[in-house]
Amino acid sequence: KQSRELRRFLASDEEKKALKNIAEGELMHLVMSRIERSDDIDNALKDVDNSLTLVETKMKHAFGDEYLNLHKQKLQLLQEQGNLLQDQIRAYEDEASRIRGELLAEGFQFDADGGLTNYMAQFDSLRGWANSLDSKEKENAKQHVQDLMDKVNEYTDLIKDQLPQVTNEWEDMVNQIKEAERELAETATDSQKEVGDALEHYLDKR
């Protein structure tokens, strides 16, 4: 059974031209949207990281209320960083899901964890199909197979490298947020105690 993509190569020249224009327009829109979304998240993460570095530097020389306020800012920035990492995870998951859908339409199969299960066999089949065509169609078919290989590589990079990496970063960020919350609570308690001690000392003098 031929997929929608494979049938494109067997259409008339006029049909193929129209389909190619539509496909390229759709692909460009998807690619540009993905790049903009990824760039937005990456740039936001850099901005938050720079702000966090500045706050932590200021904290080294701060005391009392100033230190407490800076600690609150640090916690807010860590939480924002955590939210952005979650956005990045969702973006990677959406992209992996999109590519997986395209590969499923081409006969590729996946296990429960999203890993490819018939990678070599399917490419052998696709190469055999491409080589069986006449010279007019063969080059287009071979390019189609190469495009699929690129998609497989992109998908593998997403699920094996990028997603695990950003997921680990997010889990580490959760721990940092918990630690910052604990430290902030301790700092606030110490600050309140200092105020109470100062007030008690003042009253004793009266």
Side-chain angles (χ1 to χ4, degrees):
K1 184 180 179 180
Q2 293 172 333
S3 70
R4 176 170 57 87
E5 294 292 333
L6 296 184
R7 287 197 298 272
R8 288 182 179 178
F9 296 109
L10 305 180
S12 68
D13 289 342
E14 186 175 339
E15 289 173 331
K16 283 190 291 184
K17 184 177 180 180
L19 285 169
K20 184 174 184 291
N21 289 336
I22 293 172
E24 287 179 350
E26 291 174 348
L27 178 60
M28 183 57 66
H29 176 72
L30 285 171
V31 169
M32 291 305 298
S33 297
R34 183 184 67 195
I35 291 173
E36 288 173 4
R37 184 179 181 188
S38 178
D39 284 348
D40 285 345
I41 295 173
D42 287 341
N43 289 333
L45 280 167
K46 289 175 183 176
D47 289 342
V48 172
D49 190 58
N50 290 337
S51 297
L52 190 57
T53 299
L54 179 61
V55 167
E56 289 177 334
T57 300
K58 289 181 177 180
M59 287 176 67
K60 294 177 182 178
H61 308 286
F63 300 93
D65 289 343
E66 182 186 4
Y67 183 84
L68 185 61
N69 289 331
L70 286 169
H71 214 309
K72 289 177 181 178
Q73 291 179 38
K74 175 183 176 180
L75 178 58
Q76 290 172 348
L77 288 167
L78 287 173
Q79 290 169 337
E80 178 62 21
Q81 208 166 32
N83 291 335
L84 287 168
L85 287 171
Q86 283 186 309
D87 289 342
Q88 196 168 55
I89 289 171
R90 283 190 288 269
Y92 285 158
E93 288 176 340
D94 289 347
E95 181 64 7
S97 178
R98 181 188 69 80
I99 298 174
R100 185 163 55 247
E102 293 178 0
L103 293 175
L104 279 168
E106 299 289 351
F108 290 91
Q109 297 173 359
F110 300 83
D111 59 26
D113 295 324
L116 282 158
T117 59
N118 64 336
Y119 172 87
M120 295 303 298
Q122 187 60 14
F123 270 123
D124 286 343
S125 175
L126 287 167
R127 289 191 191 98
W129 162 78
N131 289 326
S132 70
L133 300 175
D134 59 35
S135 58
K136 183 179 179 181
E137 302 292 349
K138 184 176 291 187
E139 289 306 312
N140 286 338
K142 285 184 175 181
Q143 183 58 53
H144 178 65
V145 174
Q146 181 59 52
D147 291 343
L148 287 175
M149 290 183 71
D150 293 340
K151 286 182 182 179
V152 166
N153 290 333
E154 183 181 0
Y155 177 80
T156 302
D157 183 53
L158 275 168
I159 66 167
K160 297 294 185 182
D161 294 321
Q162 296 184 57
L163 257 174
Q165 179 180 336
V166 73
T167 300
N168 288 337
E169 290 176 5
W170 178 75
E171 290 175 349
D172 181 61
M173 184 57 57
V174 170
N175 292 330
Q176 289 186 51
I177 290 171
K178 289 179 180 178
E179 181 63 18
E181 288 174 338
R182 184 189 63 77
E183 291 177 354
L184 180 58
E186 290 179 356
T187 301
T189 300
D190 291 343
S191 179
Q192 289 174 351
K193 186 176 184 302
E194 288 175 4
V195 171
D197 290 344
L199 179 60
E200 184 179 349
H201 180 69
Y202 170 77
L203 292 174
D204 287 343
K205 279 190 169 184
R206 293 184 62 184

